[in-house]
Amino acid sequence: MILYVDADYLSPYAMSAFVALREKGLTFELRLLDLQQSEQSAPAYAEISSTQRVPAIVDDDFSLSESSAISEYIDECYIGPKLYPIDLLARARARALQAWLRSDLLPIREERSTEVVFLSRSPQPLSAKAQAAANKLFHAAAQLLQPGQLHLFEQWSIADTDLALMINRLVLAGDPVPEYLADYATLQWQRASVQDWVNLPRKIT
């Protein structure tokens, strides 16, 4: 199996797919695309990823893009630890959370890019729009997490990694975050598969 990711290892979606493969215990090769040089738009990659984005996987003669689709595919196709809850309703909530984190909260993603997370950047204070988005994030997280709760559901799921990354955009920037959410995100960050991504070599410019 081949996993295509950005050469700077900054994509939160590439990270999600990487963590999913690690958690599933699958062997895969990392291939890097320089997004600054638009390598994702090269014809050869466009044949692999119809969206011309990272991440994408190639599994024998099958290719697939979009991180949540990749997680669902490998969870259904391969044995190993489950990436999603067994319970149908919990699994639906996990997938809904993933979809929401990818489609909303744009002010947070803009003002707290993953450079804050992976390159220790010190950004400006949150704008009013970004603070409103942060409050929305805290409200949504509170529907699934209680103080002291280790995971969103009974066991770890890939949705935990995705939520922890969004929260850590704020925590690692020094923004005010409810203590129990900061503790949850910090705990999730120590997971071995997550640390494997965090510790990949990055160019610091």
Side-chain angles (χ1 to χ4, degrees), residues 139-172:
H139 175 78
Q143 307 307 303
L144 296 170
L145 284 170
Q146 297 297 316
Q149 191 172 325
L150 301 182
H151 307 297
L152 288 164
F153 308 103
E154 288 190 7
Q155 303 292 330
W156 175 89
S157 74
I158 191 62
D160 283 299
T161 295
D162 291 344
L163 178 59
L165 175 56
M166 185 61 78
I167 295 172
N168 270 333
R169 291 174 185 263
L170 302 167
V171 171
L172 297 175

Side-chain angles (χ1 to χ4, degrees), residues 22-202:
R22 277 278 198 267
E23 290 286 342
K24 205 67 176 174
L26 298 175
T27 300
F28 60 96
E29 174 190 345
L30 269 184
R31 291 197 185 168
L32 308 183
L33 294 174
D34 189 336
L35 305 189
Q36 302 301 318
Q37 299 297 319
S38 298
E39 289 184 356
Q40 74 276 18
S41 299
Y45 186 67
E47 290 295 315
I48 294 168
S49 171
S50 58
T51 61
Q52 299 180 41
R53 303 198 298 184
V54 294
I57 60 167
V58 175
D59 188 17
D60 291 329
D61 59 352
F62 176 71
S63 61
L64 184 67
S65 53
E66 301 304 306
S67 59
S68 56
I70 290 169
S71 294
E72 292 177 24
Y73 165 74
I74 63 175
D75 205 27
E76 293 173 4
C77 285
Y78 290 95
I79 61 172
K82 299 301 291 182
L83 302 177
Y84 290 91
I86 299 295
D87 177 75
L88 175 63
L89 300 184
R91 189 162 67 249
R93 288 190 183 279
R95 288 172 169 168
L97 179 62
Q98 283 188 299
W100 178 66
L101 290 170
R102 285 159 172 73
S103 61
D104 201 351
L105 308 175
L106 180 60
I108 297 177
R109 296 200 303 273
E110 288 180 335
E111 297 184 27
R112 298 294 182 262
S113 76
T114 51
E115 289 190 4
V116 171
V117 177
F118 299 121
L119 300 180
S120 301
R121 298 291 192 246
S122 298
Q124 296 296 314
L126 290 172
S127 68
K129 280 187 177 181
Q131 186 60 62
N135 293 339
K136 188 177 182 181
L137 171 64
F138 302 153
H139 175 78
Q143 307 307 303
L144 296 170
L145 284 170
Q146 297 297 316
Q149 191 172 325
L150 301 182
H151 307 297
L152 288 164
F153 308 103
E154 288 190 7
Q155 303 292 330
W156 175 89
S157 74
I158 191 62
D160 283 299
T161 295
D162 291 344
L163 178 59
L165 175 56
M166 185 61 78
I167 295 172
N168 270 333
R169 291 174 185 263
L170 302 167
V171 171
L172 297 175
D175 299 314
V177 175
E179 184 176 3
Y180 80 98
L181 292 181
D183 289 345
Y184 159 82
T186 299
L187 175 67
Q188 293 297 327
W189 217 240
Q190 299 313 308
R191 200 167 182 88
S193 58
V194 173
Q195 283 295 301
D196 285 345
W197 178 267
V198 170
N199 291 320
L200 286 169
R202 294 176 177 83

